[in-house]
Amino acid sequence: MNTIRCYDRFTNVKRVAALIGVATGIAAGLLLALPSRAEAPQRLPTVVINGKSTQTLAALRAAGDVQTLPTVVVSARRADRPLDGEQVAAR
């Protein structure tokens, strides 16, 4: 009687995957076991602001104390074709 050997052709792939999984688990455990090195928070310098309240913008406009600047209209158009660096430098 002849004996036919059966084998799993993915055994090596399974072993490598298991080895990678175990190594990743050990590495993650070691990283989580490290102590944290957080420093104590430093106290920022105190800022003191002195000021006084002013009238609101609506009250200033009603009193006529606010002058408005002239309106500036900016218009632009798209270039017919894209400009290269030399054309932009020439302008």
Side-chain angles (χ1 to χ4, degrees):
M1 176 176 237
N2 293 336
T3 304
I4 300 173
R5 297 186 185 255
C6 296
Y7 67 95
D8 185 8
R9 65 181 189 176
F10 297 109
T11 303
N12 289 338
V13 175
K14 290 178 185 178
R15 286 180 186 160
V16 170
L19 183 64
I20 290 173
V22 169
T24 303
I26 292 173
L30 290 175
L31 286 175
L32 290 175
L34 290 175
S36 63
R37 296 181 182 171
E39 296 179 8
Q42 296 178 356
R43 183 172 174 86
L44 295 175
T46 304
V47 177
V48 178
I49 300 174
N50 295 323
K52 59 181 180 178
S53 62
T54 60
Q55 296 178 357
T56 62
L57 184 59
L60 289 172
R61 282 188 180 157
D65 294 339
V66 176
Q67 298 176 356
T68 58
L69 295 173
T71 303
V72 177
V73 177
V74 177
S75 63
R77 64 180 176 83
R78 201 177 271 241
D80 294 338
R81 57 191 166 119
L83 300 175
D84 62 353
E86 293 177 7
Q87 291 175 341
V88 172
R91 289 184 173 191

